[in-house]
Amino acid sequence: IQGQLGDCWFLGGLAVMGANENLLKDCFWRGDAFRNYGLFVVRFFKGVEVVYVLVDDRIPVKDKDGRVVFGKCKDPNELWVPIMEKAYAKLYGCYKALIGGYSHHALSDMTGYCPKLVTLKPGFPGYNESMDKNEVWELLTQYKEWGCLMGTSIQSKQNQKVEAEAGMGLHMGHAYSFLGVATIKDEKAINGEVQLVKLRNPWGMGEWEGAYGDRTDERERKDIQLELEKYFKKGQEDVEINFMDGSFFMPFDDWLDRFTSLFVAVNFPLSWQGKRTQGYWSGECGGNRDMGSWISNPKTKLKNG
């Protein structure tokens, strides 16, 4: 649950990554072996290097009631969220440095996966290709099959206030966790089936109020509940109706119509082979192709195998 810090992009990514118990455990070097000393070692990937961040177990709380100020778990006895958030703040210098960002960068820092921004609509930063509805759906299903981690958001062209209302319970400039995608059977839908996505608001509240949301007739039907359990219930993930937990389902068409950005940490399948390389900008780099400094820009040579 997000606290009094504008790092929904990090907590949204943390909610996606944290749903995979193995990935979460890998973030803590030697688990809680140093717990008796009040210490934890959190592992991140910065660039192409592994970075270990040492933090103590002191968490910022309010003097008045002892409540955690920043990110926290719904269960007050779980401390992995504030510990991870504190370590990430230390990696970048301070808590304030986490105000504003993108989920694919956070996911990449926590897992080592390759960050990728997919801008779905023209006129928004990062847009470079037009994809039709079927191509976007195929991309989402492929990423889920690969075990990629994703987040999504609604960006504004009018420089509206961050997290301004976007209608139907959604907010602009706010990072949502992208938890699942599947086609389920629905006898009342066109062709007897519907494409759904599952998202989560890191606030732990505030959900989609349209079709297949927690307060709709679709969710009251037993056949729909069974379909959701069949395709979306994995491990500890919950598909029960709870309008105050931040998790919700929505039709893929509505998501594609309203959301502008998809943040992906790409986990390439084992059938792929790759290599990472690191470059850096020096004082002699920069400019364009017509400038003499162009030749000094970092580069990587590739050749056919």
Side-chain angles (χ1 to χ4, degrees):
I1 298 176
Q2 185 180 351
Q4 297 180 11
L5 188 66
D7 64 344
C8 60
W9 60 282
F10 170 69
L11 292 175
L14 193 61
V16 177
M17 191 275 298
N20 186 314
E21 188 174 352
N22 291 328
L23 287 178
L24 179 59
K25 287 182 177 179
D26 288 343
C27 289
F28 288 88
W29 186 63
R30 296 193 179 181
D32 60 355
F34 311 104
R35 183 176 181 177
N36 291 336
Y37 301 97
L39 299 174
F40 294 90
V41 181
V42 185
R43 179 228 59 199
F44 294 106
F45 295 87
K46 201 73 180 77
V48 295
E49 297 180 342
V50 178
V51 180
Y52 295 95
V53 178
L54 177 67
V55 292
D56 58 36
D57 59 2
R58 294 177 178 268
I59 304 301
V61 299
K62 296 181 179 180
D63 287 336
K64 182 179 179 179
D65 51 20
R67 289 191 298 171
V68 176
V69 177
F70 301 136
K72 61 182 178 180
C73 300
K74 181 177 293 186
D75 184 345
N77 293 317
E78 293 185 18
L79 295 178
W80 61 275
V81 168
I83 293 296
M84 284 285 294
E85 185 183 45
K86 182 174 182 176
Y88 201 57
K90 186 173 181 180
L91 179 69
Y92 281 96
C94 62
Y95 280 106
K96 187 177 180 179
L98 301 187
I99 299 176
Y102 297 96
S103 295
H104 57 309
H105 292 151
L107 288 167
S108 177
D109 288 342
M110 290 186 286
T111 63
Y113 294 173
C114 182
K116 181 179 181 180
L117 169 64
V118 180
T119 303
L120 302 167
K121 293 180 174 60
F124 294 91
Y127 181 82
N128 59 12
E129 63 176 323
S130 176
M131 292 186 291
D132 61 29
K133 172 185 172 181
N134 292 332
E135 289 174 325
V136 175
W137 179 257
E138 290 176 1
L139 188 67
L140 292 174
T141 54
Q142 181 184 67
Y143 282 154
K144 292 307 294 184
E145 289 174 0
W146 286 3
C148 302
L149 307 177
M150 296 184 284
T152 186
S153 72
I154 304 172
Q155 302 301 323
S156 171
K157 291 183 179 179
Q158 286 79 34
N159 295 320
Q160 290 180 296
K161 182 180 178 181
V162 174
E163 296 173 342
E165 292 187 6
M168 301 298 287
L170 302 176
H171 293 266
M172 292 184 178
H174 184 56
Y176 291 83
S177 304
F178 196 109
L179 299 178
V181 53
T183 300
I184 69 169
K185 294 179 181 180
D186 184 351
E187 60 183 17
K188 295 185 179 181
I190 299 176
N191 299 324
E193 60 183 25
V194 61
Q195 296 170 320
L196 293 181
V197 300
K198 182 181 180 182
L199 307 183
R200 185 180 187 276
N201 185 341
W203 288 345
M205 56 180 288
E207 302 180 10
W208 165 247
E209 297 173 359
Y212 294 90
D214 283 356
R215 290 180 174 175
T216 59
D217 293 338
E218 293 94 346
R219 293 303 308 278
E220 296 292 337
R221 291 163 47 194
K222 186 175 181 180
D223 60 323
I224 295 297
Q225 185 64 22
L226 292 175
E227 284 289 296
L228 295 178
E229 292 178 359
K230 179 179 179 180
Y231 291 101
F232 288 96
K233 189 174 180 61
K234 297 179 181 178
Q236 296 181 348
E237 290 187 33
D238 194 3
V239 297
E240 298 299 324
I241 298 176
N242 185 347
F243 193 71
M244 294 302 294
D245 67 353
S247 297
F248 57 89
F249 296 93
M250 67 185 301
F252 165 69
D253 288 350
D254 287 326
W255 172 80
L256 187 59
D257 180 58
R258 294 172 178 271
F259 283 76
T260 62
S261 304
L262 179 70
F263 310 111
V264 189
V266 182
N267 179 28
F268 293 104
L270 296 177
S271 59
W272 288 45
Q273 291 184 350
K275 181 179 180 180
R276 297 193 179 199
T277 184
Q278 185 175 26
Y280 64 93
W281 295 95
S282 69
E284 300 176 349
C285 297
N288 54 46
R289 293 177 184 271
D290 297 328
M291 298 182 66
S293 59
W294 176 263
I295 194 65
S296 299
N297 289 342
K299 60 187 70 67
T300 301
K301 294 182 179 181
L302 303 176
K303 64 180 181 179
N304 293 330

